[in-house]
């Protein structure tokens, strides 16, 4: 079963606008990650935020994490047509011992129109 | 460094057959994980290998198996294929060897398996 639920399922905006995607999860985590996927291809890592962090920035990306609400958001500012993709949040469900296991949300399909 | 490579990229099989997919991780990465992506179930974790040992396994039937070689390359095998096994199979590698939560995963382009 999926750990995260993303909202909205689909988002359509114009170039230059900001895009905000939300993710909720169920169990406690060590960290939360966001990935991008272009049209059924491999996933590209965007950003990792640890459970003791509240906000993180990377270029035009801003991620927030609220562990009390078990939620995260991804903001893409000044969007471009090249940002058109599906975006997934993924949590690790507090795995220990160095194990690598991601539990993905259903994803948000973002379409940025020129 | 070269990225994660997966072969083949596309595969068509019929029900009842078996299939082997291959993954070469980024040089120096010792952890290799496999994921299945379908429109209905989304992205689901299959298993993770580290130093030739399976460290973690998802909720999939025993028809799904894998292994890792001493050079960290990994294969996954699906026996007695079913129509529902049609999916994009993604491999990911990471360098992490110790605790602290799941490391950043570097994904390959995937193998698109179609079962007829």
């Amino acid at each position: 079963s999926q750990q995260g639920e993303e909202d909205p399922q689909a988002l359509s905006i114009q170039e230059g606008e900001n895009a905000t995607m939300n993710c909720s999860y169920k169990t406690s985590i060590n960290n939360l990650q966001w990935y991008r996927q272009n049209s059924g291809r491999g996933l590209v890592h965007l950003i990792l935020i640890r459970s003791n962090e509240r906000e993180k920035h990377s270029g035009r990306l801003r991620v927030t994490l609220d562990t009390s609400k078990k939620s995260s958001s991804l903001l893409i500012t000044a969007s471009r047509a090249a940002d058109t993709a599906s975006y997934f949040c993924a949590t690790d469900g507090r795995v220990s011992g160095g194990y690598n296991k991601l539990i993905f949300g259903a994803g948000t399909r973002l379409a940025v129109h020129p | 460094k070269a990225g994660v490579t997966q072969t083949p990229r596309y595969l068509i099989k019929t029900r009842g057959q078996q299939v082997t997919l291959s993954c070469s991780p980024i040089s120096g990465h010792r952890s290799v994980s496999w994921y299945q992506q379908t429109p209905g179930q989304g992205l689901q974790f299959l298993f993770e290998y580290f130093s030739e040992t399976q460290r973690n396994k998802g909720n999939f039937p025993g028809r799904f198996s894998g292994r890792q070689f001493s050079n960290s390359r990994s294969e996954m095998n699906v026996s007695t294929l079913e129509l529902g096994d049609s999916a994009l199979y993604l491999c990911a590698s990471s360098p992490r060897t110790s605790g602290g939560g799941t490391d950043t995963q570097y994904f390959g382009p995937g193998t698109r398996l179609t079962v007829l």
Side-chain angles (χ1 to χ4, degrees):
Chain A
S1 62
Q2 290 173 334
Q3 163 83 306
E5 296 296 330
E6 283 159 271
D7 169 55
Q9 291 187 332
L11 184 58
S12 181
I13 60 174
Q14 298 295 125
E15 265 191 331
E17 294 181 337
N18 295 342
T20 299
M21 289 158 264
N22 302 296
C23 166
S24 61
Y25 57 91
K26 297 173 184 174
T27 64
S28 61
I29 60 172
N30 289 306
N31 62 53
L32 182 144
Q33 303 181 40
W34 285 88
Y35 288 83
R36 183 187 75 219
Q37 184 179 39
N38 287 84
S39 192
R41 303 177 71 174
L43 279 75
V44 174
H45 179 260
L46 296 175
I47 202 162
L48 180 153
I49 185 166
R50 301 198 183 282
S51 59
N52 61 355
E53 297 175 311
R54 292 296 167 259
E55 187 171 314
K56 205 160 182 181
H57 296 255
S58 177
R60 294 184 295 114
L61 306 180
R62 172 178 167 254
V63 167
T64 62
L65 178 64
D66 187 336
T67 53
S68 66
K69 295 181 179 178
K70 292 187 170 57
S71 67
S72 174
S73 68
L74 169 67
L75 168 67
I76 304 174
T77 60
S79 62
R80 307 164 181 168
D83 294 328
T84 295
S86 291
Y87 292 81
F88 296 89
C89 71
T91 58
D92 64 356
R94 277 247 181 239
V95 293
S96 61
Y99 295 2
N100 287 306
K101 173 182 178 180
L102 288 175
I103 305 170
F104 284 89
T108 293
R109 294 188 311 278
L110 173 65
V112 182
H113 303 284
Chain B
K1 282 183 178 178
V4 178
T5 58
Q6 292 187 244
T7 56
R9 293 291 310 279
Y10 302 91
L11 206 48
I12 300 175
K13 293 285 188 180
T14 56
R15 281 179 298 174
Q17 288 187 310
Q18 75 165 21
V19 67
T20 299
L21 312 180
S22 181
C23 171
S24 292
I26 292 171
S27 177
H29 286 191
R30 297 167 64 188
S31 167
V32 175
S33 301
W34 290 88
Y35 292 83
Q36 181 197 63
Q37 186 177 27
T38 60
Q41 298 298 316
L43 280 153
Q44 293 190 290
F45 172 80
L46 278 157
F47 27 64
E48 184 216 4
Y49 286 88
F50 180 81
S51 290
E52 303 177 64
T53 300
Q54 188 182 89
R55 295 201 297 191
N56 214 343
K57 189 175 190 302
N59 189 24
F60 279 82
R63 300 185 297 107
F64 291 81
S65 63
R67 59 177 175 169
Q68 186 181 35
F69 302 95
S70 58
N71 62 358
S72 293
R73 188 177 71 85
S74 177
E75 290 180 346
M76 68 162 281
N77 184 277
V78 188
S79 62
T80 320
L81 284 166
E82 301 177 359
L83 295 178
D85 297 333
S86 293
L88 180 66
Y89 289 88
L90 293 161
C91 165
S93 74
S94 73
R96 176 71 66 85
T97 59
S98 60
T102 298
D103 199 6
T104 296
Q105 300 293 295
Y106 297 85
F107 283 83
T111 294
R112 175 76 62 184
L113 172 65
T114 302
V115 182
L116 302 176

